[in-house]
């Protein structure tokens, strides 16, 4: 029986237990950080008040009032719903917003191949040597920025990398040309084994460090900042891969998606493209 009407109080200790649960579930580090950030945002909004189904619904409404996009609101609601499920506060769970399936995407975040080329050229001057290579590695393989660490000397020599994420292992083929470039880079850096991309202290490059380095290219490459972030390189890979193969099922496997519907989101055309397609139908005299 669901416990509607009950009140609960959220503590930092409970959030800590939930974090341990996510770690044991082998959730990605970025996912854990995002969930905890949203949960603490909810706790701050509560300001010491009890957690109820009503208060959770009020938070949903307050997020909309503050101007958060429906998709953003739903990710935040997913975070607190997951926490409620862990704590067995089932009566507090709140419904996500219903959203109509998008038929086209906002062109302001659509990175083109020409813009990608300009970013690579911009990275060749006054930037860390690894920057252009990291961008090429993501864009040429479709890996997530969190998976860059799986590009090792051993993987390059084998021409493939085994990526482990969310309890699943998938094999990513590495283009020969990319392997040659990265092995040459490894040789100049005297890296004989392990990860290719490392920070000055020898540790793995962080997501933030890569993101910040890419943002520094915007003005130099004359590309809108809204288009420049690591995950957009993965989107560009998906778009080009599908244009070449027309195989969405294979693309889903390459990207590591368990559902083709997730892959479909990557392939939504821009509003301008959608408008051109409508014009080509010739249904207006």
């Amino acid at each position: 029986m669901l416990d509607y009407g009950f009140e609960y109080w959220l503590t930092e200790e409970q959030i800590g237990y939930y974090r341990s649960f996510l770690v044991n579930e082998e959730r990605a580090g970025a996912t854990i950080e995002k969930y905890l950030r949203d949960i603490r945002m909810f706790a701050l909004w509560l300001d010491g008040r009890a957690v109820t189904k009503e208060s959770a619904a009020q938070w949903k409404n307050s997020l909309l009032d503050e101007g958060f996009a429906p998709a953003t609101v739903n990710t935040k609601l997913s975070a607190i719903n997951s926490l409620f499920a862990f704590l067995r506060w089932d009566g507090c769970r709140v419904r996500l917003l219903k959203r109509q399936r998008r038929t086209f995407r906002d062109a302001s975040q659509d990175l083109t191949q020409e813009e990608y080329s300009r970013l690579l050229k911009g990275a060749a001057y006054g930037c860390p040597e690894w920057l252009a290579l990291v961008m090429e590695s993501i864009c040429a393989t479709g890996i997530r920025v969190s998976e860059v660490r799986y590009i090792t000397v051993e993987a390059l020599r084998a021409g493939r990398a085994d990526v482990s994420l969310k309890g699943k292992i998938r094999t990513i083929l590495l283009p020969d040309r990319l392997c040659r470039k990265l092995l040459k880079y490894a040789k100049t850096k005297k890296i004989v084994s392990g990860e290719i991309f490392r920070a000055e202290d020898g540790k793995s490059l962080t997501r933030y460090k890569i993101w910040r380095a890419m943002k520094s290219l915007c003005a130099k490459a004359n590309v809108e900042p809204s288009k420049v972030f690591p995950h957009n390189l993965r989107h560009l890979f998906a778009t080009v891969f599908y244009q070449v193969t027309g195989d969405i099922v294979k693309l889903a496997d390459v990207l590591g998606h368990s559902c083709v519907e997730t892959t479909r989101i990557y392939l939504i055309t821009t509003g301008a493209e959608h408008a051109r397609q409508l014009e080509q139908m010739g249904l207006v005299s």
Side-chain angles (χ1 to χ4, degrees):
M1 180 181 295
L2 296 181
D3 47 350
Y4 292 100
F6 280 70
E7 294 183 343
Y8 302 96
W9 280 264
L10 185 58
T11 67
E12 189 62 36
E13 183 179 27
Q14 290 166 329
I15 296 174
Y17 288 142
Y18 177 64
R19 181 187 183 283
S20 298
F21 165 74
L22 293 178
V23 171
N24 289 333
E25 287 287 300
E26 299 183 1
R27 298 292 185 92
T31 300
I32 294 175
E33 291 176 13
K34 176 69 170 62
Y35 269 39
L36 296 181
R37 186 164 59 248
D38 290 339
I39 287 168
R40 290 194 170 99
M41 181 182 183
F42 174 58
L44 184 64
W45 177 85
L46 284 171
D47 193 24
R49 289 173 292 169
V51 177
T52 63
K53 185 177 181 64
E54 182 181 23
S55 66
Q58 288 173 347
W59 187 55
K60 175 172 71 172
N61 291 332
S62 75
L63 292 173
L64 290 171
D65 290 341
E66 290 178 41
F68 285 99
T72 303
V73 172
N74 279 345
T75 62
K76 295 181 183 301
L77 297 180
S78 294
I80 64 169
N81 280 343
S82 176
L83 172 69
F84 295 160
F86 168 72
L87 296 173
R88 298 185 180 179
W89 296 356
D90 295 315
C92 297
R93 298 180 71 177
V94 64
R95 289 184 180 180
L96 303 185
L97 297 170
K98 291 184 178 180
R99 301 176 61 220
Q100 182 177 344
R101 177 180 291 182
R102 291 186 302 165
T103 57
F104 56 88
R105 66 173 179 266
D106 183 357
S108 67
Q109 287 196 332
D110 187 42
L111 183 69
T112 66
Q113 285 183 264
E114 197 274 331
E115 289 169 330
Y116 165 64
S117 296
R118 295 210 304 266
L119 289 172
L120 291 180
K121 290 177 181 176
Y125 303 97
C127 294
E129 189 177 354
W130 52 261
L131 179 54
L133 295 174
V134 165
M135 290 194 295
E136 284 188 298
S137 296
I138 295 174
C139 204
T141 62
I143 61 173
R144 300 174 177 88
V145 64
S146 61
E147 297 170 340
V148 167
R149 60 194 174 93
Y150 290 101
I151 298 182
T152 63
V153 172
E154 293 77 10
L156 293 170
R157 288 173 178 161
R160 61 186 61 201
D162 291 324
V163 174
S164 176
L165 188 66
K166 300 181 181 179
K168 298 181 293 185
I169 298 178
R170 76 183 193 282
T171 299
I172 298 296
L173 297 181
L174 305 173
D176 289 342
R177 189 171 181 179
L178 179 66
C179 290
R180 291 195 298 271
K181 290 183 73 170
L182 295 184
L183 285 172
K184 181 178 179 180
Y185 169 77
K187 186 175 181 180
T188 62
K189 298 297 181 181
K190 296 182 170 54
I191 301 173
V192 296
S193 65
E195 295 178 43
I196 291 292
F197 301 116
R198 308 178 186 185
E200 292 78 4
D201 58 5
K203 296 181 179 179
S204 302
L205 286 174
T206 64
R207 176 194 304 264
Y208 177 69
K209 191 175 184 69
I210 296 172
W211 176 88
R212 187 175 61 182
M214 284 184 62
K215 288 294 184 182
S216 71
L217 296 173
C218 297
K220 186 187 300 185
N222 192 27
V223 180
E224 288 295 323
S226 62
K227 299 182 178 186
V228 183
F229 51 94
H231 198 69
N232 231 13
L233 299 175
R234 181 168 152 90
H235 273 266
L236 180 56
F237 166 85
T239 300
V240 176
F241 185 96
Y242 186 70
Q243 288 172 350
V244 172
T245 68
D247 191 336
I248 193 172
V249 175
K250 185 174 182 179
L251 175 58
D253 289 338
V254 172
L255 294 175
H257 292 159
S258 56
C259 175
V260 172
E261 180 62 21
T262 303
T263 310
R264 189 196 69 82
I265 296 172
Y266 281 57
L267 304 177
I268 297 174
T269 58
T270 64
E273 290 172 296
H274 185 66
R276 281 196 295 271
Q277 291 164 354
L278 292 178
E279 291 293 336
Q280 290 170 0
M281 292 174 66
L283 296 178
V284 179
S285 61

